[in-house]
Amino acid sequence: MKNFIQRAITGLIFVAVLVGCIIGSPLSFGLLFCIISAMATAEFCNLMNKQEGVKMNRNICVLGSMTLFLCFFYYGMNPAQTGIFIPYLIIIIYLMISELYLKKEHPLNSWAYAMFSQLYVGLPFALLNVLAFHSNGWESVSQYQFILPLSIFAFNWVNDTGAYCTGVLFGKHPLFKRISPKKSWEGSIGGATFCIAASFALAHFFPIMSTAAWVGMALIVVLFGTWGDLTESLMKRHLGIKDSGNILPGHGGVLDRFDSTIMAVPAAVVYLYFISLF
């Protein structure tokens, strides 16, 4: 009972802060996710550095993720400023060259995991800015739209809740028994159904896209969010851990809370790009 109350309080605070900062303003959005990106990258580095033969430069990897996010954030507000990505390229170059002088026994491991920290953690959070800012053609200034990044989290939450309830009631066939035995096909179908219903509500209140486009967005988030969840589960199973961290009482670490988002955001960006072509 105590753990349930702890999870509930943490969850409510988590959702309130996330929704409040996304809706609040571009500044609160950027500040929140820059911090989350840094925390998630630090958590990833801590996990990987526990493996034999791996010694990543955690501080530089965190700086890289924060810089990448801020570059996308600034570019989102000022699309003409392409040179803003230069600082991030300098950090990547440093990560590569620095291994030449550190004389580690397994430099290739450090290179690989350092680059993966940017691909797996840094880039998805940075791409939230692509969803948040919209410009027409080559305009030098763009507009902030909170609903697209917020919809990713809303669909994930609806999917998780719907999948859990449906899975408890009807779940019989494991979705991916080797990695996550508690997930079922019935739960996944139930979660997708709830998300489709939520997409109709978003289409009604936020007609920035057609109803069909919103439904497609919901299904993309369900599919890739589930893969994101399974990807982190595979990583934790390989590392022999239950949670990626303990910063969120009753909910584990930052990566545990954003595992679905990490895969869903890039997929949503690709999806929106393709439907914009038609």
Side-chain angles (χ1 to χ4, degrees), residues 189-242:
I189 294 171
T193 303
F194 277 91
C195 278
I196 291 173
S199 71
F200 278 92
L202 286 176
H204 175 74
F205 291 105
F206 300 96
I208 61 171
M209 298 191 297
S210 67
T211 301
W214 273 115
V215 171
M217 181 80 151
L219 294 176
I220 286 291
V221 173
V222 168
L223 178 61
F224 285 89
T226 300
W227 278 335
D229 189 355
L230 291 170
T231 299
E232 203 226 1
S233 295
L234 177 61
M235 181 180 74
K236 291 191 293 186
R237 185 174 289 269
H238 174 75
L239 296 173
I241 59 175
K242 182 178 182 295

Side-chain angles (χ1 to χ4, degrees), residues 109 120 125 138 141 155 246 263 267 272:
N109 289 347
Y120 178 63
F125 283 110
W138 294 98
V141 178
F155 285 139
N246 56 12
M263 198 75 76
L272 292 173

Side-chain angles (χ1 to χ4, degrees), residues 8-278:
I9 293 174
T10 302
L12 287 173
I13 295 174
F14 174 79
V15 171
V17 170
L18 202 70
V19 173
C21 287
I22 293 175
I23 293 177
S25 70
L27 182 59
S28 61
F29 163 82
L31 181 60
L32 175 68
F33 284 102
C34 185
I35 293 172
I36 290 175
S37 179
M39 293 171 65
T41 304
E43 195 173 83
F44 177 84
C45 293
N46 289 337
L47 292 176
M48 297 305 118
N49 279 340
K50 292 179 181 178
Q51 295 190 96
E52 184 178 356
V54 180
K55 190 60 179 176
M56 302 161 58
N57 190 326
R58 186 187 68 174
N59 293 336
I60 298 300
C61 288
V62 169
L63 179 62
S65 290
M66 293 178 68
T67 302
L68 183 61
F69 180 89
L70 292 173
C71 288
F72 270 90
F73 180 76
Y74 186 78
Y75 180 73
M77 293 191 296
N78 302 275
Q81 303 296 322
T82 55
I84 191 62
F85 290 94
I86 296 299
Y88 181 69
L89 295 178
I90 293 173
I91 292 174
I92 293 298
I93 292 170
Y94 173 81
L95 280 172
M96 297 295 294
I97 294 176
S98 62
E99 290 296 329
L100 297 173
Y101 300 94
L102 297 177
K103 300 179 181 180
K104 296 176 184 175
E105 187 177 354
H106 303 284
L108 190 59
N109 289 347
S110 297
W111 270 333
Y113 283 109
M115 294 302 120
F116 191 55
S117 74
Q118 303 303 294
L119 177 65
Y120 178 63
V121 183
L123 182 60
F125 283 110
L127 287 174
L128 279 169
N129 291 292
V130 177
L131 301 177
F133 295 96
H134 175 74
S135 62
N136 294 318
W138 294 98
E139 289 182 1
S140 59
V141 178
S142 59
Q143 293 182 333
Y144 175 69
Q145 290 185 332
F146 68 83
I147 189 56
L148 286 179
L150 182 60
S151 70
I152 301 294
F153 297 103
F155 285 139
N156 272 325
W157 295 332
V158 170
N159 181 44
D160 287 344
T161 303
Y164 175 78
C165 295
T166 309
V168 168
L169 293 173
F170 307 107
K172 293 182 179 179
H173 301 88
L175 178 66
F176 222 110
K177 190 174 183 179
R178 179 174 64 89
I179 297 175
S180 187
K182 292 184 179 181
K183 294 185 182 299
S184 66
W185 279 103
E186 292 82 1
S188 294
I189 294 171
T193 303
F194 277 91
C195 278
I196 291 173
S199 71
F200 278 92
L202 286 176
H204 175 74
F205 291 105
F206 300 96
I208 61 171
M209 298 191 297
S210 67
T211 301
W214 273 115
V215 171
M217 181 80 151
L219 294 176
I220 286 291
V221 173
V222 168
L223 178 61
F224 285 89
T226 300
W227 278 335
D229 189 355
L230 291 170
T231 299
E232 203 226 1
S233 295
L234 177 61
M235 181 180 74
K236 291 191 293 186
R237 185 174 289 269
H238 174 75
L239 296 173
I241 59 175
K242 182 178 182 295
D243 297 318
S244 63
N246 56 12
I247 194 170
L248 298 171
H251 288 266
V254 178
L255 290 175
D256 293 322
R257 291 303 91 208
F258 291 95
D259 52 0
S260 299
T261 306
I262 283 172
M263 198 75 76
V265 169
V269 170
V270 173
Y271 167 75
L272 292 173
Y273 171 75
F274 275 110
I275 66 172
S276 70
L277 299 177
F278 301 100

